[in-house]
Amino acid sequence: MKRGPWSLAAGLTLLAACTSVASHHHSEPELARLRAAGYRVAVLPFAITAPDDGFVAQSLGPVGDLLALEQGRDLPRRDRIAALLHDDVAVWLQQSDYQVVDPWHVATTLAHAGLSSDAIQNRSRAREIAALVGADALLYGEVRRWNRGYYVLQTVVDVALQLELVDGGSGRTLFTSERTETMGSGLTGGPTGYVSAATEPIAGLRGSYLRNLSRSVARHAVADLNGGELGDQPGPTTPRLGVVALARMHDGPFRAGERIDVIAVGSPDCLVRFDLGRLRVGVPMNPIARHDDPRGARATYVGHYVVADGDDAADLPLSCTILRREARRSVALRVRWEGAVSLGSPAIAAGRTP
Amino acid sequence: MRTRSAALVAGAMLAAACGGVSHQLRRGAEPPRSIAVLPFAGDADPELRAAGRALLQSRLRAAGYLVPEAEWVDRALSERGWLRDPDAFDATALPMAEATLALGVDAIAVGSDLCQSSFNVLLLRRHAVGGRLALVESDGRTYWAADHAASRFGGFLLTSGQVFEELRAQGVHRTPMATLALLDEFVADVAATVPTRAAATAAAPPPSVDEAIATRTPLPDGGQRLVVEARASAGAVLTFALPTLAAGVPMVAVPSGDGRHRGAHDLPPGTQLTRIDVVARDAFGREARTEARP
């Protein structure tokens, strides 16, 4: 009976060493509004405070060296790791709802200003640096773990990243997050035979594991900063469009001065725009009617484009995009009409009602 | 016994070789300074291709290249008749010399054969995202090209020693986030083989816009057609906005108009305008604004 608590403790310890994610973050309430209004963020160079790997892991490390660290060989290895995580975060932030100051602009401006690493990391200088790089806010990052631990029958790989978003106007911290992702290989992976008990922990030192973890940490940390998942995956709260069509059919191409009228029916209280191929994009549409229905409310949106002199294109696809006005984050849904539209003098328009 | 060891070593080497990125770089060539990333072609969903394109743009920016915005690139291609439908774009017919000149870049990034494949029969599973990326210069020569697939390979047959890990992997197989992670891995691994370059400042000065004027003509339904004109620096894309009514109305360069752009929007009868904002945006997202009197 006395064995029970010990077994439980041992089990929990093993599980803790297994693949896991520890994450906590905090956002100030005004961040969603700022994001929707086009908040411009500069990602500063990241600091690294991760401890050095132990001797054994360092010795075995080369079995999984990282291609991604081959670049920037003029930098010390630890700085290259910080740069790698910085780039991952900057890349994903560019897929989010924030506007991102070009990384090369930030790097060049900071280099020209002659600021030291300590000065850049000094939060009390946030306003000065934000003004310097032309950003509304600064994103600081610190790589706290980037480690591989080898314990003969078990390998643990972990990456931890802390992010902090500081408003460049007020100097206030608007967002903080700390995320640690751990991957265990060996005993905690499951039933392990004699051979795999020895080989799995060594395989777990692979550089690709460390790289995948770092990418995952960066992606998820930015998703937290963005208030939700990245990648525009429609969910249950994503607004829908049921109908997209030309409001008035037209024989032949639309000529200069003629109107292309588009109608869409979908979720109410949303922002709707239409695109003619990639030639004319984001043409605004306005709601003209709301239909309350037991199955859910719908709204009708209309918009138009007045064909300009010089507009000349054949068979452009017509599509509409809908997104919530006051979304926690803006997942947009794009719907295509089955027909096509021609402008100017080329081939006949091929409009068909859906 | 010796044969078995040799086979083991050969297998291990083969597995190691599979993990790398196959790429070619034209040695001795000066790396391009600015790169336009075209819509990706391939069998993958349009959304996945668009996400891959956006990620490559960001990776190239992080590597120090000047990369014009996708929307700007697409509009420039469309206006010249080279891009009709981004979901069905094929770069093979693109005249590279003319396209690089029109886009004002040193090279064009072409993504082709982007595909996603997966199967999962519990004992074996595989999920992969792959394709081919190339940087083509104005003379049509390839500066850099890479062919790669990021994949997850597993199944209970292969990972009997790591059953718990395999159970977890089965749970996330081909989920949207798993697909996104693979796409991220594919683009990041491939982009890591493009030489980094010292960051350079943008070639052109920021955009400018001025001389905005608005005129109205009556329409048969009692409304009015509002025509807004403005002059902007070369390469800028213009839109105008009528607060609370319409934002982002496209303006088009007037043929041989010396930088003049014009856009029109029909106003319903009785519309009162308070202001008209004209926005010019360049290829790198820099904006300039002016106001036209209603």
Side-chain angles (χ1 to χ4, degrees), chain A residues 34 39 126-127 130 135-138 165-174:
Chain A
L34 292 169
Y39 205 45
R127 289 189 210 187
D136 298 323
L138 301 177
L165 185 75
V166 176
D167 184 71
S170 64
R172 280 181 63 213
T173 296
L174 299 180

Side-chain angles (χ1 to χ4, degrees), chain A residues 250-325:
Chain A
H250 187 274
D251 289 330
F254 288 86
R255 306 281 179 182
E258 288 186 323
R259 273 174 57 146
I260 300 171
D261 287 279
V262 176
I263 187 167
V265 179
S267 307
D269 307 320
C270 291
L271 284 174
V272 183
R273 295 179 175 277
F274 73 85
D275 302 338
L276 295 168
R278 303 296 295 166
L279 183 69
R280 305 290 170 245
V281 297
V283 185
M285 299 179 75
N286 290 318
I288 55 161
R290 184 188 169 101
H291 322 278
D292 286 310
D293 188 288
R295 291 171 297 172
R298 288 169 294 138
T300 302
Y301 300 86
V302 294
H304 67 268
Y305 173 69
V306 180
V307 179
D309 287 331
D311 274 344
D312 200 358
D315 297 334
L316 294 176
L318 164 67
S319 57
C320 282
T321 306
I322 183 168
L323 60 94
R324 293 220 180 275
R325 281 180 197 276

Side-chain angles (χ1 to χ4, degrees), chain A residues 206-220:
Chain A
R206 270 184 292 202
S208 58
Y209 281 14
L210 202 49
R211 186 72 189 102
N212 286 342
L213 271 189
S214 63
R215 270 195 291 258
S216 176
V217 164
R219 196 167 54 242
H220 286 99

Side-chain angles (χ1 to χ4, degrees), chain A residues 71 94 186 189 257 259 315, chain B residues 61 84 162 164-165 192 225 266:
Chain A
Q71 298 201 339
Q94 288 174 58
R259 273 174 57 146
D315 297 334
Chain B
R61 276 192 199 119
R84 188 186 65 77
Q162 300 284 283
F164 299 150
E165 285 303 308
R225 172 159 295 177
D266 290 349

Side-chain angles (χ1 to χ4, degrees), chain A residues 19 71 88 92 94-95 102 104 186 188-189 191-192 212 215 219 257 259 273 278 280 286 304 314-315 317 336, chain B residues 54 58-59 61 74 79 84-85 87 160-165 181 184-185 192 194 196 200 225 245 247 266:
Chain A
T19 301
Q71 298 201 339
D88 286 344
W92 279 103
Q94 288 174 58
Q95 319 307 319
D102 253 331
W104 60 263
T188 57
T192 303
N212 286 342
R215 270 195 291 258
R219 196 167 54 242
R259 273 174 57 146
R273 295 179 175 277
R278 303 296 295 166
R280 305 290 170 245
N286 290 318
H304 67 268
D315 297 334
R336 270 178 79 140
Chain B
S58 304
R59 290 282 171 194
R61 276 192 199 119
D74 288 353
E79 285 182 335
R84 188 186 65 77
D85 182 352
D87 294 351
S160 56
Q162 300 284 283
V163 171
F164 299 150
E165 285 303 308
D184 184 18
E185 183 180 331
V194 180
T196 51
R225 172 159 295 177
L245 272 181
D266 290 349

